[in-house]
Amino acid sequence: MLALPHHDGKARLEEELRAGGSPVVTVHLSTYYENWPARRLRRQEDGTFAFTLPHGDTPLPAVSVADLGPLVGAVLDAGPALHGDVVKAVGDLLPPAAYAAALTRSLGVPVAYRDVPYETYRELPLPHARAVADMLEFTRRHPDVTAADVTRARGLHPGMRTFESWADSAPEQFARLLR
């Protein structure tokens, strides 16, 4: 059984607000691009980089933290036109191997994606490994972000960064890793 207390509480609140008749627009967040340098990439003995996730080839929604404010601002500016809607904050929706390829191009260093079974990831000696494994397993089993969601988010915020454009513009975030 997957444990997603951080998602369950948000879902209950959303249900309560909608049941109460409030003019609700919810913005569902994706994983952040900014998690890649600090939490995902690891230097390998041969000088290349790799990241390990239990996600197979299921597309993983992601967004830059810097795009959240403009997106939420656009949702607020839309006013009643979006009442009742769910807007998904997503700048890119790629399989993990495509994120690795984008990082390889941006960093100029080979980056590999290593898929591992969910059960293996849960037991890794990493902070919050169980919570991250459960969250990723849920998104793998129940993908609910589509290309249409990416198009909608980019329509609301035309400056929304793709993962590769973000990586190209954020070399300082990778500087510690590349030393």
Side-chain angles (χ1 to χ4, degrees):
M1 177 134 164
L2 301 176
L4 301 165
H6 52 290
H7 288 301
D8 294 341
K10 294 171 191 174
R12 277 193 301 277
L13 176 60
E14 187 175 334
E15 287 172 10
E16 289 173 16
L17 289 170
R18 289 184 191 286
S22 298
V24 175
V25 178
T26 50
V27 177
H28 290 188
L29 303 182
S30 300
T31 190
Y32 303 129
Y33 297 159
E34 289 79 4
N35 287 340
W36 292 88
R39 295 188 181 157
R40 293 206 171 97
L41 287 181
R42 298 289 179 258
R43 183 182 293 275
Q44 306 303 293
E45 288 182 18
D46 64 0
T48 64
F49 291 89
F51 63 92
T52 303
L53 292 175
H55 212 63
D57 61 358
T58 303
L60 180 65
V63 67
S64 174
V65 170
D67 288 325
L68 298 178
L71 179 64
V72 170
V75 167
L76 292 172
D77 289 345
L82 294 179
H83 285 177
D85 283 4
V86 173
V87 174
K88 296 178 181 170
V90 57
D92 236 328
L93 180 63
L94 303 170
Y99 287 107
L103 286 169
T104 295
R105 286 188 297 275
S106 291
L107 301 178
V109 177
V111 176
Y113 163 56
R114 296 199 175 120
D115 182 42
V116 296
Y118 157 74
E119 296 80 8
T120 301
Y121 195 92
R122 281 185 101 230
E123 300 305 322
L124 290 175
L126 300 171
H128 313 292
R130 286 178 181 255
V132 171
D134 285 355
M135 178 185 64
L136 290 170
E137 182 66 6
F138 183 84
T139 62
R140 189 189 64 74
R141 288 184 197 173
H142 310 285
D144 73 338
V145 178
T146 67
D149 294 315
V150 176
T151 299
R152 184 178 194 198
R154 290 180 182 167
L156 287 164
H157 170 39
M160 182 79 68
R161 294 162 187 85
T162 64
F163 180 74
E164 191 163 2
S165 68
W166 169 82
D168 287 347
S169 69
E172 72 284 351
Q173 296 218 18
F174 296 95
R176 181 186 58 80
L177 288 170
L178 297 173
R179 287 186 209 142

